[in-house]
Amino acid sequence: MAGTTVLSLQQFIASLDKSCLPKILQVCSGVYFQGSIYELSGSEVCFSTGDLIKVIDIELLSVSCEDISNDEKFELPINHTGLFKVVPEEMPYTSVEEMVSLRPLDLESCLPFAFTNRSKITVGNFTLGAGRALTVLSIERRAGEVGHVRCHVKGQQETSAEVCIPLSAQGEFKECESEERFTLREIMSSPCLCSRKFRFINTTKCDRPLVLCPIYQVHAIMSMRKNVLKFPSSLEVDVVDATELCEDVNFVTPLSLTEVFSQPEESFPAVVEILEVPETRSLFKCSWLSEMKLGSNLIFHKKSSTAMVLLSSLKSRKSQQFFLVSQQYGGRFRRRPREFNSVYELHVASSQAPALKVGVTRSCEEEGLPALSVGEQLEVVRCETVELPCESNKEQTQFVEALLCLRLQDPDDGDDDDEDDEDEDKVKQENGREEMFLPLYMQGHFVEVLSDRKKYKLKDLGKEFSLPLNVKVVSRDTELEADPLAGFACLRIEAAMLEPTIQASFAHRPEHCFEIPTEWLSMSVHFTKDPLPWPRSQPPKCHLDRVTEVTDMFFYEFRKQGNSDAAPPPRPPKRNMPSSKSLKTPSKPSKKSIEKSSNKSVPSTELATLTLDGKRRPPAPPPPGILTAQPPPLVPRKHSVTTGNARPNTYVQREDSKKKVHLPEIAPDVDSDHDYETVDETFATILKDAQENVMFY
């Protein structure tokens, strides 16, 4: 073992003077576990034989009271309000000086106290008989003279006198029971009183003698432990003092990267050792991460707050890539048009960059929404609350958030005159440009119209434009061996940030540096005393990697922190579906519907709703139990006459068919030799029966 005197931890700490700290202890025997294995805050304690503990501070917590008659122990807090009195020692003192030395340090506050002598004492011409009680009034010590105590003695017939007894006087002195009272804090503050026995003033608690022992909270450090350990001195562990033998032992303190960043500037550059490697599923996807091994050394050159941007590649067949790029990147960028898939995205982009101009890349001809054609150019003006007719009922209106846009050029809509007529109530003319409202819930496909061909530095893009922004690298960074950004057709600048970073390199390549974002990488290191791998005052010229590839998990975590309170896009209005009453109560057929059903040349109203270009699906047919008595209308046969142009589908009803004027029915020619009418009636009867059978199936 490191030492020869083995003491219990409680005895060693109780005899320890705070002015002698720090002290290094070595555990001789005993294994102690404190705390749960589920506690990860660093407060758990585990001591094994041979461990070194460096005590840096002690703090008095409580007092252990032991009843010497039955070995019963209990604990009292240090601020206990009860009072104690000293129990006289059964063994006599051999001298006055020995008796006085065991009194509290502040004797003036403990005086007077009384004692007796079993034998006679002769002081000069004065003799004190055996068993005479003496009360100490004061203790006098003068330089060059023998110290003495001034005592008061009572004689016969209530006479009294004062006598000075030398401290060197020999005899069998025994202390008398005193009425002095002490608190626990006063007892613990005096090493002499700590060795005495005490009794409660209030004997109802305990009238037997007690041995008081302080319990301290020990503040210590151990190797490979990050936090300062705190444990009570009452642990049943035997230790030895190993301060002299282990004064050169270096207690390694693991530091996280954020703790390294908080170190003073004078701590850099330095050589550090990796104690805990980054997690396998890291947020970074770079070459230097795989080279970090347990026990390997790194050089931390300096710390700084670096302005960075987060770039992402566009989604394609390959996996999407993300990059964390320093704004000191030396390449040049050119703006690229952004793509938008909804009017709400246009609204968000226009709120960051006014006067946004876009082009339509896919036509939109949905019912109830403004018609857009490929090639149209729109200029976003502002967002307003407008009143639009309901889709289900044109007579009712609704208030929706819409984006006011100006159509910059007239589209070629020669074939859509009818649709333009329906949207005339939504379009106004303003200085030769059409004004239109696009609801925020409207889906669409737009591309930004750009005329900017200027080349920008990365740090200038964030100053002149709002993010996100689409760019392309047109000239690579020549200081990089391989610029990973140069091969992308389009990159998106997602956000800009100011990150605390540490410029680091490996010991075998000190000139090849990279930046470690301290808040995004979890690892532990400790500062070593190894020398730097270059001559003093001659640091190498560092080549810094300004592009760091990160994973999609980094991008998602960054989004969580930045856009946690972002409002979702608006929901489209609910569409009014047919009510259930129309299905339960069959409606009586009107005369108009009967006339239409009898007319074989015009499709019925029910079949007319089943259009090929309709956006809404018709309601399901009612069950057989509630069908109307009127049979469904018949669909006429196609004529076999062929023409040069493609004939329209006669089984559906087009929008333009509503505006055609129906020709009057021609009466059949009775005198004709042909019997087409008879054949048509027979065929209609067959179709009627087949239609009824199908619907009841």
Side-chain angles (χ1 to χ4, degrees), residues 26-141:
Q26 186 175 26
V27 178
C28 295
S29 62
V31 179
Y32 178 77
F33 295 93
Q34 177 186 356
S36 170
I37 60 175
Y38 301 103
E39 296 178 6
L40 301 179
S41 60
S43 60
E44 65 274 8
V45 177
C46 175
F47 293 149
S48 301
T49 302
D51 286 349
L52 294 178
I53 307 170
K54 188 174 184 178
V55 180
I56 58 176
D57 193 16
I58 56 176
E59 179 184 357
L60 185 60
L61 287 182
S62 58
V63 178
S64 174
C65 304
E66 181 181 0
D67 189 346
I68 59 177
S69 62
N70 54 12
D71 296 334
E72 181 182 352
K73 292 183 179 181
F74 57 93
E75 194 170 325
L76 294 176
I78 190 61
N79 56 357
H80 180 68
T81 57
L83 298 177
F84 299 82
K85 62 181 180 180
V86 179
V87 176
E89 293 288 345
E90 297 180 358
M91 296 295 295
Y93 301 103
T94 58
S95 66
V96 176
E97 185 174 9
E98 181 185 3
M99 179 181 59
V100 172
S101 63
L102 295 179
R103 303 299 298 172
L105 296 179
D106 189 7
L107 292 175
E108 299 298 331
S109 62
C110 299
L111 295 177
F113 69 92
F115 66 93
T116 60
N117 185 20
R118 292 185 178 181
S119 60
K120 294 181 181 181
I121 301 178
T122 301
V123 181
N125 297 327
F126 191 79
T127 302
L128 297 175
R132 183 67 60 90
L134 300 175
T135 303
V136 178
L137 300 178
S138 64
I139 301 175
E140 299 178 1
R141 290 185 176 92

Side-chain angles (χ1 to χ4, degrees), residues 536-601:
R536 181 175 295 182
S537 303
Q538 296 181 4
K541 183 179 179 181
C542 296
H543 301 279
L544 183 62
D545 286 344
R546 298 188 177 95
V547 181
T548 304
E549 186 175 359
V550 296
T551 61
D552 54 351
M553 189 63 66
F554 180 96
F555 177 74
Y556 300 145
E557 291 295 330
F558 180 80
R559 283 299 188 192
K560 286 181 183 178
Q561 298 181 3
N563 296 334
S564 58
D565 298 333
R571 298 172 59 184
K574 295 182 179 180
R575 302 185 180 187
N576 296 331
M577 301 301 292
S579 60
S580 59
K581 293 182 179 180
S582 61
L583 297 179
K584 295 182 179 179
T585 306
S587 58
K588 297 181 179 180
S590 59
K591 295 180 179 180
K592 188 176 181 180
S593 62
I594 297 176
E595 292 177 358
K596 286 187 177 182
S597 63
S598 61
N599 189 358
K600 304 172 185 178
S601 62

Side-chain angles (χ1 to χ4, degrees), residues 352-363:
Q352 299 174 353
L356 176 66
K357 296 181 181 180
V358 296
V360 180
T361 59
R362 188 179 299 179
S363 299

Side-chain angles (χ1 to χ4, degrees), residues 21 267 308 330 332 348 359 380 477 580 632 662:
L21 297 178
S267 303
M308 293 184 167
R332 296 295 186 271
V348 174
V380 180
D477 191 346
S580 59
H662 300 289

